[in-house]
Amino acid sequence: MAVQDLLYDWQVWSYFAVLTWALQKQLRRASLSSISVAAALVAITWTYILRYTTAYKLAGGQNLFDDAYADVLQAPHDRNSCQLLTWVVVATVWCRHEPAELLWTGMLGAMSAAFALTPPAMPRRSTRVPLAYVVCSILALLAVQRLPDLATTDAVAFGVVLKALHLLLVAPRWLPSFGRSFDEAGVYAVLGVLIACRRDRIACWPATDCQKSIFVDLVACAVVSADAVRRDRGPT
């Protein structure tokens, strides 16, 4: 498939239709400073993505979504990428009170840009987390655990698990919790322990354009998280 053929792909049009819908809803509530930061992050990450996409299509690639993720999950860079994926799992719980477009912008655009536009508030006291979020978060972490191995051993299973991971991030907003919920601090503690057991770390510098894009997103998400803690604590 030639690069220009993407213009006639219904999946591409659907992708950008949802992204445009989510982004314009976020922009209505965002400040000029947050828009500037988000625009800079999108410009950096998407420069790499578009350059990767062009080279991929010129080489005859047919499964851009799956292959792009397979690229960033190649060892040893998989340990970098999995840090962002596990961050997103926790961030899904963190932003559960925010409008759904935050996650859609993040998944389809750039997580750091989405959270820069709409930094979720950090409640002063622990609240309750619905059962659906807890179950989906644990299943999402299991999906992240499986992806690096499947990327090199089973392309079909990799695609299924990858799409299941994205579904698990948004599903809790519509799944029933049957009146069950858990203390927020306890949920974060459990997720933190599970993620810490992975012992992920910055294993290497990114080598491909896709890896560079997700690495920038990872670093920016870390900064967004640190800034949220700083704002919650107030001036020191």
Side-chain angles (χ1 to χ4, degrees):
M1 179 188 288
V3 177
Q4 58 268 29
D5 289 342
L6 289 172
L7 297 174
Y8 307 101
D9 189 336
W10 69 269
Q11 296 176 88
V12 173
W13 282 98
S14 299
Y15 182 102
F16 282 102
V18 175
L19 177 58
T20 301
W21 164 80
L23 188 56
Q24 59 90 18
K25 289 179 74 70
Q26 275 201 281
L27 289 173
R28 290 177 183 173
R29 302 188 304 271
S31 65
L32 182 59
S33 59
S34 63
I35 291 174
S36 300
V37 172
L41 291 169
V42 169
I44 296 170
T45 55
W46 273 80
T47 294
Y48 289 126
I49 290 173
L50 293 175
R51 198 161 67 180
Y52 172 87
T53 300
T54 300
Y56 176 83
K57 288 300 181 182
L58 288 175
Q62 297 292 324
N63 192 358
L64 177 60
F65 183 76
D66 288 8
D67 288 344
Y69 269 94
D71 179 88
V72 300
L73 289 169
Q74 291 181 26
H77 193 273
D78 60 312
R79 302 184 70 177
N80 298 349
S81 301
C82 284
Q83 288 184 72
L84 178 62
L85 295 178
T86 53
W87 181 91
V88 173
V89 173
V90 177
T92 300
V93 179
W94 178 25
C95 72
R96 68 189 182 279
H97 299 301
E98 302 294 334
E101 57 263 22
L102 189 158
L103 273 180
W104 287 111
T105 300
M107 289 193 300
L108 302 178
M111 275 294 169
S112 55
F115 278 78
L117 283 174
T118 312
M122 300 187 72
R124 289 294 177 179
R125 62 183 63 184
S126 182
T127 57
R128 307 293 293 182
V129 178
L131 174 65
Y133 278 92
V134 177
V135 172
C136 287
S137 295
I138 293 174
L139 291 175
L141 290 180
L142 290 174
V144 173
Q145 181 69 25
R146 292 290 296 134
L147 283 175
D149 288 336
L150 292 175
T152 57
T153 59
D154 191 334
V156 174
F158 176 79
V160 172
V161 174
L162 178 62
K163 293 171 181 65
L165 171 61
H166 285 75
L167 181 61
L168 287 167
L169 296 176
V170 296
R173 291 176 178 267
W174 297 283
L175 289 177
S177 290
F178 308 104
R180 299 293 303 275
S181 62
F182 299 86
D183 180 72
E184 185 177 39
V187 171
Y188 284 136
V190 170
L191 295 178
V193 169
L194 292 175
I195 293 171
C197 288
R198 293 181 48 83
R199 303 181 68 181
D200 287 325
R201 57 182 175 81
I202 301 299
C204 67
W205 289 108
T208 69
D209 284 330
C210 249
Q211 292 175 7
K212 291 173 184 176
S213 176
I214 200 170
F215 189 80
V216 170
D217 211 14
L218 167 64
V219 173
C221 284
V223 173
V224 168
S225 301
D227 184 63
V229 173
R230 179 193 62 78
R231 287 185 288 102
D232 179 63
R233 295 179 62 183
T236 56

